[in-house]
Amino acid sequence: MKIVQTSWACNQKDMLKFNAGWYSPEYHLMGWALSCLQLKKYYDEVVLHADSVTAKTLIDALRLPYTDVVCDLDQFDQNPSELWGLPKIHTYSQQAVPFLHVDGDVIIWKPFDESLLHGDLIAQNLEVGTSFYENLFSELEPRLTYIPIEVTEEKDKKDKIYAYNAGIIGGNDLSFFNLYTARSKETISNNVNSLSNINIGAFNIYFEQYLFYCLAAKFNKKVNVLFDEIIPDNQYKSFGDFTEVPFNKNYLHLIGQYKRTSNVCQQLANRLRQDYPEYYYRIIALFKNQQTPLKKDYYYFINQPTEKYLTDRYFNLKDCQQHPDLVISEKNTGIKSETKRQFQSKIVENVLAAIDNTETNNIDDAIYSKMLNDAKLFEARLNDTIENDFSQHSNEFLYQRDIAHTNYFEYIFADRDSSYAKKIVADKIVQITESSFDWRSFDTEISKNLKKRPLNLNETPTSVYVCIIPECHYKGYSLSIIDDLDMRLLQISEQPVAINDVLTEIRSVFEPDDLKASLAEFELLIIGRIKLMLQAKIIKAVK
């Protein structure tokens, strides 16, 4: 089947400065790259409908291997940038053979089942509206000057709102798509004077996903879905979990909050680097050579960040004779740190800025002083760790560690029969400190939003364990909160230990009667904690 995608730059002139709802622009491009490359892995014909700005970046600069590029979306540049659904509708309307449209934030690890692709109509899944859709549509519809009759008829029949998620959408019934896209364009054109008064994001859902459902229902059309489960509109769980691919998941859709989450985007970047390093470094080199900032700059110290240099460096570190899993200190690497990190935490400065926006008239001075002193102490420990401990680790050493970490989940969990026999160990370069409050949200550059946020001066002091993890990006570290159970797991794994042995030893923390009643939940809890600490680079696999 012909696979098609749509990329419209939403009136932006520079894709390197356009995040398109992603955490930052580089992840937007990495998402497109991985989506395209994985589709091309399984399908011969993958066609991109684009505007000239998108084509210049995705095709000319990144050289993504689309079979064909139809540059026909510049015609929509007179529309509001929020009306991103219209170019997709246009792409559907241009198809003359059976097709499957795949969004640019959808990534696959196996071909779609033929039984799915034989359907007259195809979609990702049926979704049911919660108060989220209900509130969006109840606010939207009174402001529309035109509502399709099919929508009105469907609303009269059902109390609930149903729609088809268009992460993938298509089929063999081209006559239906001709009708559907005509109705959708009619809905848009007849409401053009209302666009300034409505939530255009909700309108996109309305004329694409909701109208598709209403028309399919009116004509009793069967829709083949990738997932049989009817999913509530705001409850798409695990659709952004890269730690489960390709052994346990073969389809991700970075819908909504997933593409805006730093951790998910970092997993995406790691996956692209692992599977298609030349494309990953092509994106990095593009940003660096255009002097466009990266959200997380792991290459700030490299003078000539060309695609070739970065790729060669990656393979040299990946294929290093001494595997990073065997390295526990900088002395073993043979690489000296050439760049001393200059980043200093601004926690206290940020806390003071937040206090300025906090009503302190009725607050005990002792509580105020305790919080401020705790912030000062934590910041001092953090800066001391960065300067005296982390400065001993070269960027090459840390980057080599990162390369190894990307494959740990698959190495441990791909084979269910042997996974618990695999060994893990606490990473000795991670530093753990304790504070009375969680200061992570203040560990950032001062921003306008932070200055406006008040400090919760009624928070109760507690014991907060903070892992300080050395990183090779400009900031030089990341922070992760752990609790007493995690601390016990780290004590157990001070030396390499099989996961089975971890499960056995950690039982002493729990009441025997509780364990008997919930062994499955116990195992899920411990394995979940191990996965979280693997992801945070607090522990590592031993190969």
Side-chain angles (χ1 to χ4, degrees):
M1 178 173 274
K2 177 183 179 183
I3 306 295
V4 294
Q5 294 193 289
T6 302
S7 183
W8 179 54
C10 301
N11 299 320
Q12 303 299 309
K13 301 304 180 187
D14 187 351
M15 293 283 281
L16 274 62
K17 298 178 181 178
F18 174 44
N19 63 23
W22 289 75
Y23 182 58
S24 65
E26 65 264 32
Y27 297 118
H28 176 212
L29 297 188
M30 289 176 188
W32 269 109
L34 192 55
S35 180
C36 167
L37 292 162
Q38 286 297 107
L39 287 169
K40 281 292 290 182
K41 185 175 181 178
Y42 302 109
Y43 294 97
D44 293 331
E45 188 175 15
V46 182
V47 176
L48 177 68
H49 285 253
D51 60 5
S52 55
V53 172
T54 295
K56 181 179 178 182
T57 302
L58 299 186
I59 307 303
D60 297 344
L62 301 187
R63 306 195 294 279
L64 294 180
Y66 285 101
T67 314
D68 191 18
V69 179
V70 182
C71 199
D72 60 347
L73 302 184
D74 285 336
Q75 62 182 296
F76 300 111
D77 286 351
Q78 76 278 8
N79 293 307
S81 59
E82 300 87 353
L83 198 64
W84 44 260
L86 176 55
K88 288 179 63 180
I89 296 295
H90 172 77
T91 297
Y92 307 158
S93 73
Q94 298 303 296
Q95 305 313 309
V97 297
F99 72 97
L100 185 69
H101 185 280
V102 181
D103 278 351
D105 55 3
V106 166
I107 308 158
I108 65 171
W109 277 269
K110 78 169 190 177
F112 298 106
D113 290 343
E114 285 301 316
S115 58
L116 174 77
L117 299 182
H118 286 155
D120 285 346
L121 302 180
I122 304 166
Q124 177 181 289
N125 63 273
L126 182 63
E127 57 186 23
V128 60
T130 66
S131 58
F132 176 65
Y133 271 8
E134 290 168 1
N135 292 338
L136 283 180
F137 288 2
S138 63
E139 182 179 339
L140 173 70
E141 287 184 323
R143 301 182 181 186
L144 297 177
T145 54
Y146 171 81
I147 295 176
I149 184 63
E150 294 85 2
V151 171
T152 303
E153 291 173 347
E154 181 61 29
K155 284 172 63 70
D156 290 342
K157 288 191 299 182
K158 290 187 176 71
D159 293 332
K160 294 183 178 180
I161 297 170
Y162 290 91
Y164 281 104
N165 187 284
I168 60 170
I169 194 169
N172 293 270
D173 189 346
L174 298 180
S175 62
F176 176 88
F177 272 91
N178 288 336
L179 172 64
Y180 159 58
T181 55
R183 281 283 196 277
S184 184
K185 290 178 179 179
E186 184 180 69
T187 302
I188 298 166
S189 62
N190 286 337
N191 285 293
V192 68
N193 293 327
S194 301
L195 293 179
S196 60
N197 298 316
I198 64 173
N199 180 336
I200 300 179
F203 189 44
N204 288 306
I205 298 170
Y206 193 81
F207 66 71
E208 184 190 24
Q209 300 190 153
Y210 184 41
L211 180 58
F212 182 88
Y213 172 84
C214 293
L215 282 167
K218 177 180 177 67
F219 295 105
N220 296 312
K221 298 293 294 184
K222 182 180 184 299
V223 181
N224 283 9
V225 291
L226 181 63
F227 301 108
D228 292 329
E229 178 188 1
I230 300 176
I231 302 175
D233 55 38
N234 59 357
Q235 296 181 29
Y236 282 88
K237 299 177 181 178
S238 301
F239 273 74
D241 190 357
F242 282 88
T243 65
E244 295 284 306
V245 296
F247 56 91
N248 198 36
K249 285 183 179 294
N250 49 59
Y251 179 96
L252 295 183
H253 182 188
L254 306 187
I255 186 172
Q257 76 277 10
Y258 289 117
K259 63 169 62 73
R260 295 189 291 270
T261 303
S262 171
N263 184 46
V264 172
C265 286
Q266 189 59 58
Q267 291 180 48
L268 161 72
N270 291 344
R271 193 76 213 188
L272 181 64
R273 183 183 64 194
Q274 174 179 299
D275 294 345
Y276 304 98
E278 66 275 23
Y279 286 94
Y280 173 84
Y281 290 109
R282 192 171 297 160
I283 292 170
I284 297 299
L286 183 63
F287 276 83
K288 295 296 290 182
N289 293 326
Q290 294 291 331
Q291 297 184 331
T292 302
L294 294 162
K295 192 73 172 182
K296 285 190 176 180
D297 193 348
Y298 294 85
Y299 317 94
Y300 65 95
F301 59 95
I302 296 175
N303 294 326
Q304 294 182 320
T306 64
E307 177 188 336
K308 183 179 186 309
Y309 175 83
L310 293 171
T311 306
D312 288 347
R313 174 175 175 264
Y314 166 80
F315 282 113
N316 287 338
L317 292 173
K318 183 179 180 182
D319 299 333
C320 183
Q321 232 178 12
Q322 188 170 24
H323 198 278
D325 295 298
L326 303 178
V327 176
I328 61 172
S329 74
E330 187 63 22
K331 294 177 182 178
N332 299 113
T333 67
I335 302 172
K336 299 297 182 183
S337 179
E338 298 177 355
T339 306
K340 188 171 183 179
R341 292 164 181 80
Q342 301 297 321
F343 189 92
Q344 291 286 302
S345 175
K346 297 179 181 291
I347 291 174
V348 173
E349 189 176 346
N350 289 340
V351 168
L352 289 171
I355 288 174
D356 287 342
N357 293 285
T358 304
E359 179 57 54
T360 60
N361 293 335
N362 299 319
I363 298 299
D364 190 327
D365 287 343
I367 297 175
Y368 169 88
S369 297
K370 184 175 181 61
M371 294 187 77
L372 187 57
N373 288 335
D374 190 64
K376 289 178 179 178
L377 183 60
F378 180 76
E379 180 180 271
R381 290 173 182 162
L382 179 57
N383 286 331
D384 180 68
T385 298
I386 298 166
E387 182 175 353
N388 296 318
D389 295 322
F390 291 176
S391 62
Q392 303 302 311
H393 306 305
S394 70
N395 289 301
E396 280 75 13
F397 167 69
L398 295 173
Y399 200 65
Q400 190 181 52
R401 173 209 58 181
D402 290 353
I403 292 169
H405 263 274
T406 305
N407 187 247
Y408 283 163
F409 281 90
E410 191 169 349
Y411 167 72
I412 294 176
F413 298 109
D415 183 356
R416 293 179 181 274
D417 293 333
S418 65
S419 62
Y420 287 6
K422 302 288 177 61
K423 292 185 176 182
I424 58 172
V425 66
D427 196 325
K428 292 178 173 59
I429 67 173
V430 174
Q431 301 292 316
I432 301 176
T433 188
E434 189 175 354
S435 63
S436 298
F437 302 92
D438 181 359
W439 298 113
R440 287 176 302 166
S441 62
F442 294 91
D443 180 43
T444 182
E445 297 292 343
I446 293 179
S447 66
K448 292 180 180 178
N449 290 335
L450 187 59
K451 286 182 178 180
K452 292 177 182 177
R453 188 184 65 196
L455 184 68
N456 179 13
L457 291 172
N458 292 312
E459 187 176 349
T460 303
T462 185
S463 290
V464 179
Y465 299 111
V466 185
C467 288
I468 311 172
I469 303 107
E471 304 285 1
C472 52
H473 54 62
Y474 178 74
K475 187 175 180 180
Y477 67 92
S478 59
L479 302 177
S480 184
I481 295 291
I482 59 173
D483 60 15
D484 290 330
L485 179 59
D486 297 320
M487 287 290 287
R488 182 68 185 121
L489 287 169
L490 288 175
Q491 290 169 0
I492 293 170
S493 59
E494 284 182 353
Q495 299 299 323
V497 58
I499 292 175
N500 262 328
D501 294 333
V502 173
L503 290 169
T504 299
E505 192 163 344
I506 200 70
R507 288 169 181 266
S508 62
V509 176
F510 296 84
E511 292 292 334
D513 290 341
D514 292 339
L515 281 176
K516 286 181 182 179
S518 55
L519 274 175
E521 289 81 358
F522 160 77
E523 184 175 313
L524 283 173
L525 171 66
I526 302 306
I527 296 302
R529 294 300 184 92
I530 290 173
K531 287 181 175 181
L532 287 173
M533 288 196 286
L534 272 173
Q535 195 170 317
K537 294 181 282 195
I538 299 169
I539 61 175
K540 56 186 179 180
V542 179
K543 294 186 178 180

